[in-house]
């Protein structure tokens, strides 16, 4: 795996405002969003190739066989996976790639790409998460209960992450995520080659 661009992973319980956060950082140059493959049905307004590549279970499992995923996981009864080819070609162009994936996926990415930067997004509280999930009206009550249980499980992994954003104010959270992406670009291991070249011109 190339280390020219950075892999930034964000995970958050659903309803934590991660999607708005991800949209908010879209204005940063040289940052691409990974579009996952999933076997779940599109929600209204979602388009193939924009939010996800919506594929059948047969197609998904064939991609697993061909080792086309950097990671994949079974979440809420459906498969979700990150395309290895997309991530590699983005990094090879020198761009950063942002993965919006669950905790299981994030931890798998960290084992494969140790320099990946993992960001965990918290809702301000359990009550706020519950209200947001109900308010967005996307899911049935049983599904909301299931998502809350899964949220509690996901939160138990936050200690494995490099950064934490507590999403109380979306503008502040967007600024924090942008800062994380930008500071990842300034890491010595990322800038070393250019810094060495400049240092060389000083005879150092
Ligand atoms: P949703 O169906 O609400 O869009 O996403 C459900 C969950 O699946 C979210 O936690 C989301 O981050 C996660 N997810 C989306 N794409 C991927 C992926 O490619 N890999 C993994 N491991 N999780 C994903």
């Amino acid at each position: 795996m190339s280390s020219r661009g950075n892999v930034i992973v964000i995970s958050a319980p659903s309803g934590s405002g991660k999607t708005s956060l991800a949209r908010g950082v879209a204005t940063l140059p040289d940052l691409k969003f990974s579009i996952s493959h999933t076997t779940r049905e599109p929600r209204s307004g979602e388009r193939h190739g924009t939010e996800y590549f919506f594929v059948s279970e047969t197609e998904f499992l064939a991609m697993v066989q061909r080792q086309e995923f950097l990671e994949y996981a079974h979440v809420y009864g459906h498969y979700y996976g990150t395309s290895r080819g997309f991530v590699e070609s983005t990094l090879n162009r020198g761009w950063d790639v942002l993965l919006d994936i669950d905790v299981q996926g994030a931890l798998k990415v960290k084992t494969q790409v140790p320099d990946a930067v993992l960001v965990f997004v918290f809702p301000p509280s359990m009550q706020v998460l519950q209200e947001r999930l109900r308010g967005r009206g996307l899911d049935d009550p049983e599904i909301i209960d299931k998502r809350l249980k899964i949220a509690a499980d996901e939160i138990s992994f936050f200690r494995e992450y490099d950064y934490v954003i507590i999403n109380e104010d979306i503008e502040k959270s967007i600024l924090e995520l942008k800062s994380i992406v930008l500071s990842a670009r300034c890491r010595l291991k990322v800038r070393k080659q250019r810094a060495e070249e400049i240092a060389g011109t000083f005879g150092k």
Side-chain angles (χ1 to χ4, degrees):
M1 181 74 55
S2 161
S3 60
R4 282 205 284 147
N6 293 299
V7 175
I8 314 285
V9 179
I10 58 173
S11 305
S14 60
S16 306
K18 180 179 46 171
T19 310
S20 323
L21 190 53
R23 282 199 197 114
V25 296
T27 51
L28 276 182
D30 303 331
L31 176 69
K32 280 261 185 189
F33 286 63
S34 162
I35 303 169
S36 296
H37 286 69
T38 183
T39 59
R40 86 152 160 74
E41 291 294 312
R43 296 193 184 114
S44 83
E46 286 184 334
R47 279 173 306 148
H48 182 79
T50 304
E51 285 79 13
Y52 286 103
F53 293 106
F54 296 97
V55 295
S56 68
E57 199 160 310
T58 314
E59 278 175 84
F60 192 98
L61 294 174
M63 291 180 72
V64 171
Q65 284 294 314
R66 296 195 298 267
Q67 305 194 333
E68 286 176 29
F69 291 120
L70 176 62
E71 64 73 36
Y72 71 96
H74 204 242
V75 189
Y76 309 123
H78 303 286
Y79 286 108
Y80 293 82
T82 304
S83 155
R84 186 189 296 280
F86 181 89
V87 171
E88 276 179 355
S89 64
T90 306
L91 295 177
N92 285 337
R93 288 190 173 97
W95 294 329
D96 295 342
V97 63
L98 189 117
L99 274 47
D100 165 357
I101 62 177
D102 86 320
V103 169
Q104 310 167 62
L107 300 182
K108 277 188 224 159
V109 169
K110 189 78 184 174
T111 62
Q112 299 208 42
V113 187
D115 283 347
V117 176
L118 268 51
V119 185
F120 195 93
V121 183
F122 268 86
S125 67
M126 211 281 278
Q127 286 72 17
V128 170
L129 182 63
Q130 203 167 24
E131 283 156 25
R132 283 184 189 164
L133 286 174
R134 288 191 183 135
R136 71 181 191 178
L138 288 177
D139 297 308
D140 297 333
E142 319 78 89
I143 304 268
I144 291 179
D145 282 348
K146 202 166 131 194
R147 284 183 183 250
L148 278 172
K149 286 202 191 77
I150 294 169
D153 290 342
E154 292 203 303
I155 282 173
S156 67
F157 286 95
F158 83 89
R159 296 171 191 85
E160 309 291 325
Y161 283 63
D162 301 302
Y163 292 96
V164 170
I165 292 177
I166 299 168
N167 190 17
E168 287 164 321
D169 167 351
I170 187 67
E171 291 308 323
K172 180 168 172 258
S173 301
I174 289 169
L175 192 59
E176 288 184 352
L177 183 56
K178 283 184 175 173
S179 310
I180 293 167
V181 174
L182 294 177
S183 59
R185 290 179 187 173
C186 303
R187 288 186 290 182
L188 176 62
K189 57 186 135 194
V190 176
R191 289 266 161 93
K192 191 147 196 297
Q193 197 183 332
R194 281 197 58 205
E196 291 288 4
E197 282 163 17
I198 298 169
T201 66
F202 286 87
K204 296 292 170 185

